[in-house]
Amino acid sequence: MGRRIHRMQLPIAIILIVITVSMISCKHDYTPKPRGYFRIAFPQKAYHQMNKNLPYTFKIPNYSSVSKDSDYQAKRYWINIDVPSNKASIHISYKAIHNNLAKYTEESRMLAYKHAQKASAIDEKIYVNRAKKVYGTLYNIKGNVASPMQFYLTDSTRHFIRGALYIREIPNIDSLQPVINFLEQDVLQLVESTEWKDVK
C-alpha cells in the first residue's frame, strides 16, 4: 500500500515542479514609466512697444494682447497682458505715489510671500535703471504655485506698478516649467523696457 501511494505522488510532484519552474521563468520585472507630457510648441520671440494711454509703457510679445482689467476691484490704468496660447496673463496694477511708497512696496512683498506655504523657494532680485528712473524688485516663486513671477517697479516719487504672472492651469511644476521658462523672458523684457510717461 505504501508503495502505491509513493508511485502516485511522483507524477503530482513532477507536475508541481514544472508549474513552479514555468512561473519563475515567465516572471518579468516591470518598471513604471515616467509620466509624460505633451510637447509644447512655442512661437518665436518678438516684441513691440505697447501704445496705450497709460502713465507707463513697455515692450510686450507679438503673440500677446492687452485688455483692461475687468475685475470689480480694478482701478484706472490696470491692464492684463494675455497670452492665450499658454493660458497665461500678466496682471499689471498701477498706483500714483503720495508719500506712501513704503506702503506699496510692503504690500507687494506680502502678496508675493502669500505663496510661501506652497513655494519651494522665493528668489528676490533688485532691479535698477537709473537712466529711465525705474527701480524695483522681482520675485521668482518656485514650486507648485499659481503665480510663478511677480514684481514691482517705481520711479520712487510718482509712479508705482505691480505685475504678477498667472497661468490658468492646475499648478504642476513638472508640466508647467517649460511654459514658465518661456514666459519668464517676456516678464524680464517688460521690466527692462519699462518707461514712465505723462497721460494726456
Side-chain angles (χ1 to χ4, degrees):
M1 251 334 246
R3 208 169 194 183
R4 255 184 221 166
I5 292 169
H6 181 70
R7 282 181 183 171
M8 286 179 71
Q9 287 178 343
L10 189 61
I12 295 170
I14 292 170
I15 290 168
L16 288 172
I17 290 169
V18 170
I19 290 170
T20 304
V21 169
S22 66
M23 285 176 67
I24 293 169
S25 64
C26 291
K27 190 178 179 182
H28 295 286
D29 290 330
Y30 291 102
T31 54
K33 292 181 180 179
R35 187 173 179 181
Y37 300 100
F38 291 110
R39 186 177 180 275
I40 303 168
F42 295 110
Q44 189 173 355
K45 290 288 183 190
Y47 300 93
H48 64 274
Q49 197 74 25
M50 182 181 68
N51 186 19
K52 299 285 182 183
N53 191 30
L54 299 166
Y56 55 88
T57 184
F58 39 64
K59 290 183 179 179
I60 58 174
N62 288 354
Y63 42 81
S64 69
S65 61
V66 179
S67 60
K68 186 178 178 181
D69 193 331
S70 59
D71 188 86
Y72 76 98
Q73 292 182 318
K75 309 289 187 199
R76 191 181 181 194
Y77 306 136
W78 289 26
I79 61 169
N80 293 324
I81 302 157
D82 300 310
V83 185
S85 59
N86 297 123
K87 296 182 180 178
S89 294
I90 304 170
H91 298 289
I92 303 291
S93 56
Y94 173 86
K95 294 178 180 179
I97 297 173
H98 301 289
N99 297 317
N100 52 1
L101 176 61
K103 177 189 173 186
Y104 291 162
T105 57
E106 181 58 18
E107 283 176 354
S108 296
R109 190 190 71 80
M110 287 176 66
L111 287 168
Y113 277 87
K114 273 179 71 174
H115 299 273
Q117 289 182 341
K118 293 185 178 180
S120 57
I122 299 178
D123 294 336
E124 291 186 32
K125 290 182 181 176
I126 304 299
Y127 177 77
V128 176
N129 186 330
R130 290 187 177 86
K132 295 181 178 179
K133 295 183 179 179
V134 181
Y135 316 96
T137 301
L138 284 80
Y139 300 94
N140 197 328
I141 306 167
K142 303 179 186 298
N144 294 324
V145 294
S147 178
M149 286 192 78
Q150 296 189 18
F151 63 88
Y152 73 80
L153 299 171
T154 181
D155 64 349
S156 74
T157 56
R158 294 175 59 199
H159 306 288
F160 185 94
I161 62 174
R162 178 181 173 272
L165 170 65
Y166 284 96
I167 301 173
R168 295 181 301 279
E169 286 285 353
I170 296 170
N172 182 341
I173 194 63
D174 294 328
S175 62
L176 293 181
Q177 192 61 62
V179 176
I180 294 169
N181 292 344
F182 179 77
L183 296 173
E184 181 178 5
Q185 297 174 52
D186 299 337
V187 174
L188 293 175
Q189 177 69 31
L190 183 158
V191 168
E192 291 171 358
S193 62
T194 295
E195 296 181 40
W196 312 112
K197 63 178 191 172
D198 294 324
V199 178
K200 294 178 182 179

